[in-house]
Amino acid sequence: MAQNEYEAKFLAVDADALRDRLRTAGAEQVFARTLFTRLIFENDAVQGEQWLRLRDEGGKTTLTLKQVTDATHINGTTEIEIEVNDLATTAELLKALGLRQVRYQQNYREEWQLGGVAYDFDTWPDLPTFLEIEGSSEEAVRGAVAWLGLDYDEARFGSIDLIYKSELGRDILAEPTLLFA
């Protein structure tokens, strides 16, 4: 079942200070900085503001159908996600079903959790590390934002391609690979 994804990204953050704040508050580090790889698939039915993501999360592999309906609001993204046990075989299955792998991307993620909220420090090629806060509701995310002393009006929503476009003037949707040097 498709579920709203309640997450907000904050670009200009002091990651070390935020980590210290989380640590002091008793947050649990779910995993240290881990390389994630993602394969993005499309076909005539899945394209544009909807995509299929196969992601290796450093030991866990997920297959997710994501759809952005409103990148200006926290509840503008929905997803349907399942865990799969083999990235290569799942990619093969998707290709056999007629989906095309259109992108291969890498990023690093470090995740902390406190009070049911996930705090992800994400690093993407050519971008400074930013914070993504994800909770079960808009209220949970707003509360976490306020607790950290961040300004909710500075929050960014939607997918990473919008950040590349606004910050670097770069269209990563036209790039088949997005990798660290």
Side-chain angles (χ1 to χ4, degrees):
M1 175 165 39
Q3 296 186 334
N4 274 337
E5 185 178 62
Y6 297 101
E7 61 184 31
K9 298 171 185 67
F10 294 87
L11 302 188
V13 297
D14 180 340
D16 291 334
L18 292 172
R19 274 187 203 93
D20 288 345
R21 178 105 193 247
L22 288 163
R23 196 177 290 113
T24 301
E28 174 198 354
Q29 186 179 39
V30 178
F31 53 85
R33 182 176 153 105
T34 301
L35 181 66
F36 280 22
T37 57
R38 59 180 46 71
L39 307 176
I40 306 298
F41 292 87
E42 293 180 353
N43 66 11
D44 292 340
V46 180
Q47 58 186 2
E49 296 304 311
Q50 188 179 48
W51 64 95
L52 199 57
R53 177 190 72 200
L54 179 59
R55 182 168 72 182
D56 177 347
E57 303 177 4
K60 175 182 168 187
T61 302
T62 58
L63 179 63
T64 310
L65 177 67
K66 295 187 73 96
Q67 181 165 17
V68 177
T69 54
D70 181 359
T72 65
H73 196 269
I74 191 166
N75 67 357
T77 301
T78 57
E79 66 177 27
I80 302 170
E81 182 171 275
I82 60 170
E83 192 169 339
V84 296
N85 66 357
D86 186 303
L87 185 125
T89 304
T90 304
E92 220 177 291
L93 177 115
L94 295 174
K95 289 173 186 172
L97 290 172
L99 283 103
R100 299 176 307 279
Q101 181 187 319
V102 293
R103 286 183 289 290
Y104 174 81
Q105 302 170 328
Q106 295 177 326
N107 78 299
Y108 284 98
R109 173 169 284 181
E110 170 188 350
E111 184 169 298
W112 293 76
Q113 285 203 356
L114 181 66
V117 174
Y119 300 84
D120 295 329
F121 293 94
D122 283 352
T123 306
W124 286 77
D126 305 317
L127 289 175
T129 296
F130 61 87
L131 177 65
E132 181 178 278
I133 299 173
E134 184 170 0
S136 59
S137 66
E138 180 176 352
E139 295 71 32
V141 172
R142 282 182 177 271
V145 169
W147 173 74
L148 280 177
L150 299 171
D151 181 354
Y152 190 82
D153 290 337
E154 300 293 315
R156 302 287 294 276
F157 310 105
S159 57
I160 189 69
D161 62 287
L162 300 174
I163 292 173
Y164 272 92
K165 202 162 267 178
S166 69
E167 302 307 300
L168 301 175
R170 185 168 159 188
D171 181 9
I172 63 167
L173 298 182
E175 300 179 30
T177 60
L178 182 61
L179 311 174
F180 291 96

